[in-house]
Amino acid sequence: MPELPEVETIRRQLAPRVEGRVLRELRIDDARWTMPLPPAEVEAAVSGRRVERLGRRGKYLVWQLEDDVHLVMHLRMTGTLLLDPPEGTPYARVHFALDDGARLLFCDPRRFGTGELARSSEELAAFFAARLGVEPLGDEFTAERLRELARGRRAPVKAFLLDQRRIAGVGNIYADEALFRARIHPLRPAGALRPAQLSALRESVVAALTAGIAAGGATIDDFRHADGVRGSFQHEFLVHRRAGEPCPACGGAVRKMVAAGRGTYVCERCQPRPRNLTLR
Ligand SMILES: [Zn+2]
């Protein structure tokens, strides 16, 4: 699934092409994309409006349109947003036509991606307040804030990082990479981390996300850039998907385990397992 760096990569590629242009027409071919709103209602609300800004919050892409109208997209598992794609590109669900002739296609084989409408800044703020916590690349993501979020949490820190209502935009890849960088075991309870560990974790989340953005995101399954190119961060993973390979820090073997119900990669020499946990 695209995580924050993948969505930010798309945003950075598309923003110069769409900002200031008029979204001449939005055509939705799949009613599931806008549920529970009917597609025609969303099409009518956004078509013909100038794009003031293409923003991002967590893993959401936000089209800020004139008159305080916002189209909020989530790519989910397999969504890609392609600029001027070839004719006959499969799995098209939504078509964007801009006033300069550029076309954007939202393709999504598994059809989990969503498009939602916010008709005011207040509605947009309420939408995100109900779904997302702190933005990890924003100024508000401080060590102190992370301490507050973790306080009293018995959940494993991996699950804590994946919870979008606490920290927005971190998924399975970047959680593994951040925990390795911080030398913290994924099963350690979030609330049991010491202040120094939480500071290291904050730094590591930022560093992992920043490295991902610098590499144009990671392509494991379907993620593509707006021009169809694959991201390259999968070649730079420190531990994620590297089971059996040597740890880049100590040379010990990276192993795969399950944490928060997800395949999780760890070097248990660098990230010592909490003593009260037995091997599964
Ligand atoms: Zn190691």
Side-chain angles (χ1 to χ4, degrees), residues 3-4 56-59 131-138 140-143 145-150 157-171 174-175 178-179 190 193 198 201-206 209:
E3 304 181 27
L4 187 157
R56 181 194 54 74
R57 177 81 169 88
K59 303 178 193 174
R131 289 165 179 80
L132 299 181
V134 63
E135 186 66 32
L137 297 183
E140 67 273 36
F141 186 53
T142 59
R145 183 69 180 274
L146 188 58
R147 272 200 292 280
E148 286 166 17
L149 290 170
V157 61
K158 170 89 186 241
F160 170 79
L161 288 177
L162 294 180
D163 183 350
Q164 302 299 299
R165 292 163 302 176
R166 300 191 181 280
I167 302 167
V170 178
Y174 296 92
L179 288 168
L193 296 175
L198 286 163
L201 184 57
R202 191 207 80 89
E203 297 295 319
S204 298
V205 166
V206 172
L209 294 173

mmCIF file of all heavy atoms in Angstrom, residues 3-4 56-59 131-138 140-143 145-150 157-171 174-175 178-179 190 193 198 201-206 209:
data_model
loop_
_atom_site.group_PDB
_atom_site.id
_atom_site.type_symbol
_atom_site.label_atom_id
_atom_site.label_comp_id
_atom_site.label_asym_id
_atom_site.label_seq_id
_atom_site.Cartn_x
_atom_site.Cartn_y
_atom_site.Cartn_z
ATOM 1 N N GLU A 3 2.372 4.507 1.146
ATOM 2 C CA GLU A 3 2.422 5.181 2.445
ATOM 3 C C GLU A 3 2.758 6.651 2.203
ATOM 4 O O GLU A 3 2.779 7.094 1.053
ATOM 5 C CB GLU A 3 3.461 4.494 3.351
ATOM 6 C CG GLU A 3 3.175 2.993 3.517
ATOM 7 C CD GLU A 3 4.166 2.284 4.437
ATOM 8 O OE1 GLU A 3 4.732 2.937 5.331
ATOM 9 O OE2 GLU A 3 4.379 1.080 4.246
ATOM 10 N N LEU A 4 3.036 7.373 3.264
ATOM 11 C CA LEU A 4 3.270 8.814 3.115
ATOM 12 C C LEU A 4 4.285 9.162 2.014
ATOM 13 O O LEU A 4 4.007 10.024 1.168
ATOM 14 C CB LEU A 4 3.685 9.403 4.475
ATOM 15 C CG LEU A 4 3.823 10.910 4.587
ATOM 16 C CD1 LEU A 4 3.682 11.355 6.036
ATOM 17 C CD2 LEU A 4 5.091 11.486 3.992
ATOM 18 N N ARG A 56 -1.319 17.234 0.761
ATOM 19 C CA ARG A 56 -1.303 15.875 1.297
ATOM 20 C C ARG A 56 -1.477 15.940 2.799
ATOM 21 O O ARG A 56 -0.988 16.853 3.446
ATOM 22 C CB ARG A 56 0.025 15.169 0.983
ATOM 23 C CG ARG A 56 0.092 13.735 1.490
ATOM 24 C CD ARG A 56 1.504 13.175 1.479
ATOM 25 N NE ARG A 56 2.449 14.026 2.200
ATOM 26 C CZ ARG A 56 2.516 14.136 3.526
ATOM 27 N NH1 ARG A 56 1.695 13.465 4.308
ATOM 28 N NH2 ARG A 56 3.395 14.944 4.079
ATOM 29 N N ARG A 57 -2.227 14.984 3.337
ATOM 30 C CA ARG A 57 -2.326 14.831 4.783
ATOM 31 C C ARG A 57 -2.286 13.335 5.046
ATOM 32 O O ARG A 57 -3.140 12.596 4.557
ATOM 33 C CB ARG A 57 -3.641 15.464 5.259
ATOM 34 C CG ARG A 57 -3.913 15.305 6.734
ATOM 35 C CD ARG A 57 -3.172 16.333 7.576
ATOM 36 N NE ARG A 57 -3.683 16.279 8.935
ATOM 37 C CZ ARG A 57 -3.204 15.463 9.893
ATOM 38 N NH1 ARG A 57 -2.176 14.666 9.639
ATOM 39 N NH2 ARG A 57 -3.747 15.439 11.094
ATOM 40 N N GLY A 58 -1.260 12.873 5.805
ATOM 41 C CA GLY A 58 -1.089 11.436 5.975
ATOM 42 C C GLY A 58 -0.951 10.786 4.611
ATOM 43 O O GLY A 58 -0.135 11.210 3.785
ATOM 44 N N LYS A 59 -1.762 9.762 4.360
ATOM 45 C CA LYS A 59 -1.725 9.082 3.064
ATOM 46 C C LYS A 59 -2.782 9.621 2.109
ATOM 47 O O LYS A 59 -3.031 9.025 1.062
ATOM 48 C CB LYS A 59 -1.946 7.571 3.256
ATOM 49 C CG LYS A 59 -0.949 6.898 4.206
ATOM 50 C CD LYS A 59 -1.287 5.412 4.361
ATOM 51 C CE LYS A 59 -0.526 4.796 5.519
ATOM 52 N NZ LYS A 59 -0.948 3.405 5.783
ATOM 53 N N ARG A 131 -9.995 10.987 11.622
ATOM 54 C CA ARG A 131 -9.245 9.869 11.044
ATOM 55 C C ARG A 131 -7.754 9.884 11.307
ATOM 56 O O ARG A 131 -7.117 8.834 11.333
ATOM 57 C CB ARG A 131 -9.440 9.859 9.523
ATOM 58 C CG ARG A 131 -10.824 9.447 9.096
ATOM 59 C CD ARG A 131 -11.080 9.804 7.634
ATOM 60 N NE ARG A 131 -12.419 9.388 7.222
ATOM 61 C CZ ARG A 131 -13.527 10.079 7.489
ATOM 62 N NH1 ARG A 131 -13.457 11.222 8.156
ATOM 63 N NH2 ARG A 131 -14.705 9.627 7.102
ATOM 64 N N LEU A 132 -7.166 11.065 11.457
ATOM 65 C CA LEU A 132 -5.712 11.167 11.443
ATOM 66 C C LEU A 132 -5.148 11.872 12.668
ATOM 67 O O LEU A 132 -5.728 12.843 13.155
ATOM 68 C CB LEU A 132 -5.243 11.930 10.194
ATOM 69 C CG LEU A 132 -5.593 11.337 8.829
ATOM 70 C CD1 LEU A 132 -5.016 12.214 7.731
ATOM 71 C CD2 LEU A 132 -5.081 9.907 8.703
ATOM 72 N N GLY A 133 -4.005 11.378 13.115
ATOM 73 C CA GLY A 133 -3.270 12.025 14.185
ATOM 74 C C GLY A 133 -2.242 13.001 13.630
ATOM 75 O O GLY A 133 -2.429 13.582 12.560
ATOM 76 N N VAL A 134 -1.145 13.121 14.345
ATOM 77 C CA VAL A 134 -0.125 14.128 14.030
ATOM 78 C C VAL A 134 0.546 13.813 12.678
ATOM 79 O O VAL A 134 0.718 12.659 12.302
ATOM 80 C CB VAL A 134 0.903 14.201 15.184
ATOM 81 C CG1 VAL A 134 1.646 12.886 15.349
ATOM 82 C CG2 VAL A 134 1.867 15.348 15.000
ATOM 83 N N GLU A 135 0.881 14.870 11.966
ATOM 84 C CA GLU A 135 1.571 14.742 10.671
ATOM 85 C C GLU A 135 3.073 14.605 10.959
ATOM 86 O O GLU A 135 3.689 15.529 11.499
ATOM 87 C CB GLU A 135 1.268 15.996 9.839
ATOM 88 C CG GLU A 135 1.781 15.963 8.422
ATOM 89 C CD GLU A 135 1.100 14.905 7.550
ATOM 90 O OE1 GLU A 135 -0.088 14.601 7.758
ATOM 91 O OE2 GLU A 135 1.787 14.374 6.669
ATOM 92 N N PRO A 136 3.667 13.459 10.621
ATOM 93 C CA PRO A 136 5.035 13.204 11.098
ATOM 94 C C PRO A 136 6.111 14.104 10.494
ATOM 95 O O PRO A 136 7.188 14.223 11.059
ATOM 96 C CB PRO A 136 5.277 11.741 10.722
ATOM 97 C CG PRO A 136 4.279 11.421 9.674
ATOM 98 C CD PRO A 136 3.095 12.304 9.919
ATOM 99 N N LEU A 137 5.846 14.724 9.364
ATOM 100 C CA LEU A 137 6.848 15.648 8.813
ATOM 101 C C LEU A 137 6.509 17.102 9.141
ATOM 102 O O LEU A 137 7.116 18.023 8.599
ATOM 103 C CB LEU A 137 6.995 15.450 7.297
ATOM 104 C CG LEU A 137 7.506 14.060 6.877
ATOM 105 C CD1 LEU A 137 7.680 13.977 5.371
ATOM 106 C CD2 LEU A 137 8.817 13.716 7.588
ATOM 107 N N GLY A 138 5.543 17.296 10.027
ATOM 108 C CA GLY A 138 5.180 18.654 10.438
ATOM 109 C C GLY A 138 5.873 19.060 11.732
ATOM 110 O O GLY A 138 6.433 18.218 12.443
ATOM 111 N N GLU A 140 4.660 19.887 14.454
ATOM 112 C CA GLU A 140 3.999 19.443 15.690
ATOM 113 C C GLU A 140 4.449 18.047 16.130
ATOM 114 O O GLU A 140 4.131 17.618 17.238
ATOM 115 C CB GLU A 140 2.475 19.503 15.526
ATOM 116 C CG GLU A 140 1.894 18.532 14.527
ATOM 117 C CD GLU A 140 1.870 19.068 13.086
ATOM 118 O OE1 GLU A 140 2.782 19.795 12.657
ATOM 119 O OE2 GLU A 140 0.920 18.734 12.372
ATOM 120 N N PHE A 141 5.173 17.346 15.268
ATOM 121 C CA PHE A 141 5.639 15.996 15.625
ATOM 122 C C PHE A 141 6.958 16.104 16.393
ATOM 123 O O PHE A 141 8.036 15.919 15.861
ATOM 124 C CB PHE A 141 5.799 15.147 14.366
ATOM 125 C CG PHE A 141 6.141 13.700 14.644
ATOM 126 C CD1 PHE A 141 5.361 12.928 15.501
ATOM 127 C CD2 PHE A 141 7.234 13.110 14.045
ATOM 128 C CE1 PHE A 141 5.674 11.602 15.761
ATOM 129 C CE2 PHE A 141 7.553 11.771 14.289
ATOM 130 C CZ PHE A 141 6.782 11.024 15.149
ATOM 131 N N THR A 142 6.833 16.405 17.681
ATOM 132 C CA THR A 142 8.002 16.564 18.541
ATOM 133 C C THR A 142 8.149 15.337 19.432
ATOM 134 O O THR A 142 7.224 14.514 19.530
ATOM 135 C CB THR A 142 7.816 17.788 19.452
ATOM 136 O OG1 THR A 142 6.618 17.569 20.229
ATOM 137 C CG2 THR A 142 7.654 19.072 18.643
ATOM 138 N N ALA A 143 9.296 15.221 20.091
ATOM 139 C CA ALA A 143 9.506 14.112 21.024
ATOM 140 C C ALA A 143 8.475 14.179 22.152
ATOM 141 O O ALA A 143 7.946 13.153 22.599
ATOM 142 C CB ALA A 143 10.930 14.150 21.585
ATOM 143 N N ARG A 145 5.437 15.408 21.966
ATOM 144 C CA ARG A 145 4.146 14.960 21.429
ATOM 145 C C ARG A 145 4.104 13.438 21.333
ATOM 146 O O ARG A 145 3.093 12.807 21.669
ATOM 147 C CB ARG A 145 3.920 15.600 20.056
ATOM 148 C CG ARG A 145 2.588 15.282 19.404
ATOM 149 C CD ARG A 145 1.437 15.942 20.162
ATOM 150 N NE ARG A 145 0.162 15.633 19.530
ATOM 151 C CZ ARG A 145 -0.360 16.321 18.523
ATOM 152 N NH1 ARG A 145 0.272 17.382 18.055
ATOM 153 N NH2 ARG A 145 -1.505 15.988 17.994
ATOM 154 N N LEU A 146 5.206 12.844 20.918
ATOM 155 C CA LEU A 146 5.256 11.384 20.810
ATOM 156 C C LEU A 146 5.148 10.750 22.198
ATOM 157 O O LEU A 146 4.483 9.725 22.375
ATOM 158 C CB LEU A 146 6.548 10.959 20.102
ATOM 159 C CG LEU A 146 6.669 9.479 19.748
ATOM 160 C CD1 LEU A 146 5.523 9.024 18.856
ATOM 161 C CD2 LEU A 146 8.002 9.185 19.080
ATOM 162 N N ARG A 147 5.770 11.357 23.181
ATOM 163 C CA ARG A 147 5.655 10.860 24.559
ATOM 164 C C ARG A 147 4.201 10.877 25.018
ATOM 165 O O ARG A 147 3.709 9.925 25.606
ATOM 166 C CB ARG A 147 6.499 11.713 25.508
ATOM 167 C CG ARG A 147 7.941 11.246 25.630
ATOM 168 C CD ARG A 147 8.609 11.782 26.900
ATOM 169 N NE ARG A 147 8.804 13.233 26.868
ATOM 170 C CZ ARG A 147 9.807 13.840 26.227
ATOM 171 N NH1 ARG A 147 10.705 13.126 25.582
ATOM 172 N NH2 ARG A 147 9.923 15.144 26.250
ATOM 173 N N GLU A 148 3.498 11.984 24.720
ATOM 174 C CA GLU A 148 2.081 12.084 25.096
ATOM 175 C C GLU A 148 1.258 10.991 24.416
ATOM 176 O O GLU A 148 0.377 10.388 25.022
ATOM 177 C CB GLU A 148 1.513 13.455 24.689
ATOM 178 C CG GLU A 148 1.957 14.605 25.565
ATOM 179 C CD GLU A 148 1.634 15.944 24.914
ATOM 180 O OE1 GLU A 148 0.804 15.985 23.982
ATOM 181 O OE2 GLU A 148 2.235 16.950 25.340
ATOM 182 N N LEU A 149 1.555 10.772 23.139
ATOM 183 C CA LEU A 149 0.781 9.786 22.378
ATOM 184 C C LEU A 149 1.021 8.370 22.894
ATOM 185 O O LEU A 149 0.124 7.530 22.888
ATOM 186 C CB LEU A 149 1.153 9.854 20.888
ATOM 187 C CG LEU A 149 0.694 11.097 20.132
ATOM 188 C CD1 LEU A 149 1.332 11.142 18.743
ATOM 189 C CD2 LEU A 149 -0.824 11.134 20.014
ATOM 190 N N ALA A 150 2.247 8.110 23.332
ATOM 191 C CA ALA A 150 2.618 6.748 23.747
ATOM 192 C C ALA A 150 2.243 6.457 25.194
ATOM 193 O O ALA A 150 2.125 5.290 25.578
ATOM 194 C CB ALA A 150 4.122 6.544 23.549
ATOM 195 N N VAL A 157 4.773 -1.333 19.957
ATOM 196 C CA VAL A 157 5.093 -0.064 19.296
ATOM 197 C C VAL A 157 4.851 -0.144 17.788
ATOM 198 O O VAL A 157 4.503 0.848 17.150
ATOM 199 C CB VAL A 157 6.530 0.390 19.648
ATOM 200 C CG1 VAL A 157 7.568 -0.621 19.200
ATOM 201 C CG2 VAL A 157 6.827 1.765 19.077
ATOM 202 N N LYS A 158 4.980 -1.329 17.209
ATOM 203 C CA LYS A 158 4.689 -1.452 15.775
ATOM 204 C C LYS A 158 3.218 -1.104 15.491
ATOM 205 O O LYS A 158 2.918 -0.351 14.563
ATOM 206 C CB LYS A 158 5.005 -2.871 15.298
ATOM 207 C CG LYS A 158 4.520 -3.210 13.897
ATOM 208 C CD LYS A 158 5.518 -2.881 12.816
ATOM 209 C CE LYS A 158 4.943 -3.104 11.427
ATOM 210 N NZ LYS A 158 5.661 -4.085 10.656
ATOM 211 N N ALA A 159 2.306 -1.662 16.309
ATOM 212 C CA ALA A 159 0.880 -1.365 16.138
ATOM 213 C C ALA A 159 0.608 0.119 16.384
ATOM 214 O O ALA A 159 -0.193 0.749 15.684
ATOM 215 C CB ALA A 159 0.043 -2.219 17.087
ATOM 216 N N PHE A 160 1.281 0.659 17.369
ATOM 217 C CA PHE A 160 1.152 2.081 17.693
ATOM 218 C C PHE A 160 1.537 2.947 16.491
ATOM 219 O O PHE A 160 0.850 3.910 16.139
ATOM 220 C CB PHE A 160 2.046 2.362 18.905
ATOM 221 C CG PHE A 160 2.234 3.806 19.249
ATOM 222 C CD1 PHE A 160 1.260 4.505 19.945
ATOM 223 C CD2 PHE A 160 3.413 4.470 18.893
ATOM 224 C CE1 PHE A 160 1.445 5.852 20.274
ATOM 225 C CE2 PHE A 160 3.598 5.798 19.221
ATOM 226 C CZ PHE A 160 2.616 6.487 19.908
ATOM 227 N N LEU A 161 2.632 2.599 15.823
ATOM 228 C CA LEU A 161 3.076 3.388 14.660
ATOM 229 C C LEU A 161 2.110 3.269 13.490
ATOM 230 O O LEU A 161 1.988 4.194 12.687
ATOM 231 C CB LEU A 161 4.474 2.939 14.208
ATOM 232 C CG LEU A 161 5.644 3.312 15.105
ATOM 233 C CD1 LEU A 161 6.935 2.715 14.541
ATOM 234 C CD2 LEU A 161 5.783 4.830 15.239
ATOM 235 N N LEU A 162 1.447 2.114 13.378
ATOM 236 C CA LEU A 162 0.540 1.896 12.239
ATOM 237 C C LEU A 162 -0.818 2.567 12.452
ATOM 238 O O LEU A 162 -1.590 2.681 11.505
ATOM 239 C CB LEU A 162 0.332 0.392 12.007
ATOM 240 C CG LEU A 162 1.546 -0.415 11.564
ATOM 241 C CD1 LEU A 162 1.167 -1.879 11.370
ATOM 242 C CD2 LEU A 162 2.141 0.152 10.285
ATOM 243 N N ASP A 163 -1.112 2.987 13.669
ATOM 244 C CA ASP A 163 -2.417 3.577 13.972
ATOM 245 C C ASP A 163 -2.470 5.013 13.425
ATOM 246 O O ASP A 163 -1.850 5.923 13.978
ATOM 247 C CB ASP A 163 -2.633 3.570 15.492
ATOM 248 C CG ASP A 163 -4.007 4.095 15.875
ATOM 249 O OD1 ASP A 163 -4.730 4.633 15.003
ATOM 250 O OD2 ASP A 163 -4.355 3.976 17.066
ATOM 251 N N GLN A 164 -3.211 5.176 12.327
ATOM 252 C CA GLN A 164 -3.249 6.481 11.651
ATOM 253 C C GLN A 164 -3.825 7.583 12.530
ATOM 254 O O GLN A 164 -3.588 8.770 12.294
ATOM 255 C CB GLN A 164 -4.062 6.378 10.348
ATOM 256 C CG GLN A 164 -3.511 5.352 9.382
ATOM 257 C CD GLN A 164 -2.088 5.686 8.943
ATOM 258 O OE1 GLN A 164 -1.839 6.734 8.352
ATOM 259 N NE2 GLN A 164 -1.143 4.814 9.245
ATOM 260 N N ARG A 165 -4.621 7.198 13.548
ATOM 261 C CA ARG A 165 -5.219 8.216 14.429
ATOM 262 C C ARG A 165 -4.210 8.769 15.425
ATOM 263 O O ARG A 165 -4.494 9.717 16.146
ATOM 264 C CB ARG A 165 -6.423 7.626 15.164
ATOM 265 C CG ARG A 165 -7.599 7.328 14.223
ATOM 266 C CD ARG A 165 -8.581 6.393 14.863
ATOM 267 N NE ARG A 165 -7.905 5.139 15.234
ATOM 268 C CZ ARG A 165 -8.484 4.147 15.889
ATOM 269 N NH1 ARG A 165 -9.725 4.258 16.258
ATOM 270 N NH2 ARG A 165 -7.808 3.053 16.164
ATOM 271 N N ARG A 166 -3.021 8.173 15.475
ATOM 272 C CA ARG A 166 -1.970 8.710 16.342
ATOM 273 C C ARG A 166 -0.908 9.426 15.511
ATOM 274 O O ARG A 166 -0.622 10.590 15.721
ATOM 275 C CB ARG A 166 -1.354 7.595 17.187
ATOM 276 C CG ARG A 166 -2.417 6.958 18.032
ATOM 277 C CD ARG A 166 -1.896 6.031 19.087
ATOM 278 N NE ARG A 166 -3.059 5.484 19.786
ATOM 279 C CZ ARG A 166 -3.725 6.128 20.729
ATOM 280 N NH1 ARG A 166 -3.316 7.307 21.158
ATOM 281 N NH2 ARG A 166 -4.795 5.595 21.285
ATOM 282 N N ILE A 167 -0.334 8.684 14.559
ATOM 283 C CA ILE A 167 0.642 9.289 13.642
ATOM 284 C C ILE A 167 0.143 8.981 12.234
ATOM 285 O O ILE A 167 -0.126 7.822 11.913
ATOM 286 C CB ILE A 167 2.045 8.697 13.863
ATOM 287 C CG1 ILE A 167 2.483 8.903 15.314
ATOM 288 C CG2 ILE A 167 3.050 9.320 12.901
ATOM 289 C CD1 ILE A 167 3.708 8.094 15.694
ATOM 290 N N ALA A 168 0.019 9.988 11.394
ATOM 291 C CA ALA A 168 -0.600 9.809 10.075
ATOM 292 C C ALA A 168 0.451 9.484 9.025
ATOM 293 O O ALA A 168 1.470 10.169 8.935
ATOM 294 C CB ALA A 168 -1.351 11.082 9.680
ATOM 295 N N GLY A 169 0.207 8.439 8.246
ATOM 296 C CA GLY A 169 1.024 8.227 7.060
ATOM 297 C C GLY A 169 2.041 7.116 7.142
ATOM 298 O O GLY A 169 2.611 6.726 6.127
ATOM 299 N N VAL A 170 2.322 6.616 8.364
ATOM 300 C CA VAL A 170 3.299 5.533 8.507
ATOM 301 C C VAL A 170 2.582 4.201 8.304
ATOM 302 O O VAL A 170 1.564 3.943 8.929
ATOM 303 C CB VAL A 170 3.960 5.566 9.906
ATOM 304 C CG1 VAL A 170 4.931 4.392 10.058
ATOM 305 C CG2 VAL A 170 4.674 6.887 10.125
ATOM 306 N N GLY A 171 3.098 3.367 7.433
ATOM 307 C CA GLY A 171 2.557 2.024 7.211
ATOM 308 C C GLY A 171 3.616 0.984 7.490
ATOM 309 O O GLY A 171 4.608 1.245 8.180
ATOM 310 N N TYR A 174 7.570 1.711 6.500
ATOM 311 C CA TYR A 174 8.297 2.770 7.215
ATOM 312 C C TYR A 174 8.293 2.537 8.722
ATOM 313 O O TYR A 174 9.202 3.001 9.411
ATOM 314 C CB TYR A 174 7.766 4.141 6.793
ATOM 315 C CG TYR A 174 8.044 4.360 5.310
ATOM 316 C CD1 TYR A 174 7.111 4.025 4.338
ATOM 317 C CD2 TYR A 174 9.299 4.787 4.888
ATOM 318 C CE1 TYR A 174 7.395 4.149 2.979
ATOM 319 C CE2 TYR A 174 9.597 4.910 3.536
ATOM 320 C CZ TYR A 174 8.646 4.583 2.582
ATOM 321 O OH TYR A 174 8.943 4.692 1.244
ATOM 322 N N ALA A 175 7.300 1.786 9.233
ATOM 323 C CA ALA A 175 7.334 1.417 10.651
ATOM 324 C C ALA A 175 8.534 0.498 10.913
ATOM 325 O O ALA A 175 9.286 0.705 11.875
ATOM 326 C CB ALA A 175 6.030 0.727 11.050
ATOM 327 N N ALA A 178 11.787 2.532 10.595
ATOM 328 C CA ALA A 178 11.974 3.482 11.698
ATOM 329 C C ALA A 178 12.371 2.754 12.980
ATOM 330 O O ALA A 178 13.272 3.201 13.707
ATOM 331 C CB ALA A 178 10.694 4.292 11.924
ATOM 332 N N LEU A 179 11.731 1.616 13.257
ATOM 333 C CA LEU A 179 12.054 0.876 14.485
ATOM 334 C C LEU A 179 13.473 0.337 14.439
ATOM 335 O O LEU A 179 14.184 0.350 15.448
ATOM 336 C CB LEU A 179 11.044 -0.260 14.710
ATOM 337 C CG LEU A 179 9.653 0.231 15.141
ATOM 338 C CD1 LEU A 179 8.633 -0.897 15.062
ATOM 339 C CD2 LEU A 179 9.706 0.817 16.553
ATOM 340 N N ALA A 190 4.403 0.405 23.504
ATOM 341 C CA ALA A 190 4.718 1.810 23.229
ATOM 342 C C ALA A 190 4.888 2.602 24.522
ATOM 343 O O ALA A 190 5.790 3.434 24.646
ATOM 344 C CB ALA A 190 3.627 2.419 22.354
ATOM 345 N N LEU A 193 8.377 2.636 26.475
ATOM 346 C CA LEU A 193 9.616 3.199 25.923
ATOM 347 C C LEU A 193 10.116 4.341 26.799
ATOM 348 O O LEU A 193 9.336 5.148 27.307
ATOM 349 C CB LEU A 193 9.367 3.710 24.493
ATOM 350 C CG LEU A 193 8.981 2.636 23.477
ATOM 351 C CD1 LEU A 193 8.634 3.281 22.141
ATOM 352 C CD2 LEU A 193 10.116 1.630 23.296
ATOM 353 N N LEU A 198 12.005 7.255 22.805
ATOM 354 C CA LEU A 198 10.965 7.976 22.078
ATOM 355 C C LEU A 198 11.570 9.099 21.237
ATOM 356 O O LEU A 198 11.133 9.357 20.117
ATOM 357 C CB LEU A 198 9.923 8.518 23.054
ATOM 358 C CG LEU A 198 9.001 7.426 23.622
ATOM 359 C CD1 LEU A 198 8.281 7.908 24.862
ATOM 360 C CD2 LEU A 198 7.996 6.961 22.571
ATOM 361 N N LEU A 201 13.016 7.418 18.331
ATOM 362 C CA LEU A 201 11.953 6.965 17.439
ATOM 363 C C LEU A 201 11.416 8.125 16.599
ATOM 364 O O LEU A 201 11.180 7.978 15.399
ATOM 365 C CB LEU A 201 10.830 6.311 18.252
ATOM 366 C CG LEU A 201 9.691 5.696 17.438
ATOM 367 C CD1 LEU A 201 10.208 4.651 16.453
ATOM 368 C CD2 LEU A 201 8.647 5.073 18.371
ATOM 369 N N ARG A 202 11.243 9.265 17.220
ATOM 370 C CA ARG A 202 10.787 10.430 16.454
ATOM 371 C C ARG A 202 11.760 10.737 15.322
ATOM 372 O O ARG A 202 11.379 10.901 14.165
ATOM 373 C CB ARG A 202 10.645 11.662 17.348
ATOM 374 C CG ARG A 202 9.923 12.807 16.656
ATOM 375 C CD ARG A 202 10.312 14.174 17.203
ATOM 376 N NE ARG A 202 11.580 14.624 16.655
ATOM 377 C CZ ARG A 202 11.709 15.317 15.530
ATOM 378 N NH1 ARG A 202 10.650 15.677 14.840
ATOM 379 N NH2 ARG A 202 12.897 15.676 15.092
ATOM 380 N N GLU A 203 13.047 10.795 15.662
ATOM 381 C CA GLU A 203 14.074 11.063 14.652
ATOM 382 C C GLU A 203 14.040 10.008 13.549
ATOM 383 O O GLU A 203 14.216 10.317 12.369
ATOM 384 C CB GLU A 203 15.468 11.041 15.293
ATOM 385 C CG GLU A 203 15.715 12.102 16.353
ATOM 386 C CD GLU A 203 15.671 13.505 15.770
ATOM 387 O OE1 GLU A 203 16.209 13.701 14.658
ATOM 388 O OE2 GLU A 203 15.066 14.384 16.412
ATOM 389 N N SER A 204 13.828 8.766 13.957
ATOM 390 C CA SER A 204 13.891 7.656 13.006
ATOM 391 C C SER A 204 12.689 7.617 12.074
ATOM 392 O O SER A 204 12.819 7.274 10.902
ATOM 393 C CB SER A 204 13.992 6.332 13.760
ATOM 394 O OG SER A 204 15.177 6.317 14.520
ATOM 395 N N VAL A 205 11.522 7.967 12.604
ATOM 396 C CA VAL A 205 10.331 8.050 11.740
ATOM 397 C C VAL A 205 10.563 9.117 10.672
ATOM 398 O O VAL A 205 10.348 8.886 9.474
ATOM 399 C CB VAL A 205 9.066 8.366 12.575
ATOM 400 C CG1 VAL A 205 7.906 8.797 11.675
ATOM 401 C CG2 VAL A 205 8.654 7.149 13.410
ATOM 402 N N VAL A 206 11.054 10.268 11.095
ATOM 403 C CA VAL A 206 11.307 11.362 10.148
ATOM 404 C C VAL A 206 12.376 10.936 9.132
ATOM 405 O O VAL A 206 12.226 11.146 7.922
ATOM 406 C CB VAL A 206 11.738 12.637 10.904
ATOM 407 C CG1 VAL A 206 12.192 13.719 9.924
ATOM 408 C CG2 VAL A 206 10.588 13.149 11.770
ATOM 409 N N LEU A 209 10.989 8.270 6.603
ATOM 410 C CA LEU A 209 10.059 8.884 5.642
ATOM 411 C C LEU A 209 10.817 9.780 4.664
ATOM 412 O O LEU A 209 10.546 9.776 3.455
ATOM 413 C CB LEU A 209 8.985 9.703 6.370
ATOM 414 C CG LEU A 209 8.009 8.902 7.241
ATOM 415 C CD1 LEU A 209 7.111 9.860 8.025
ATOM 416 C CD2 LEU A 209 7.166 7.941 6.412
#
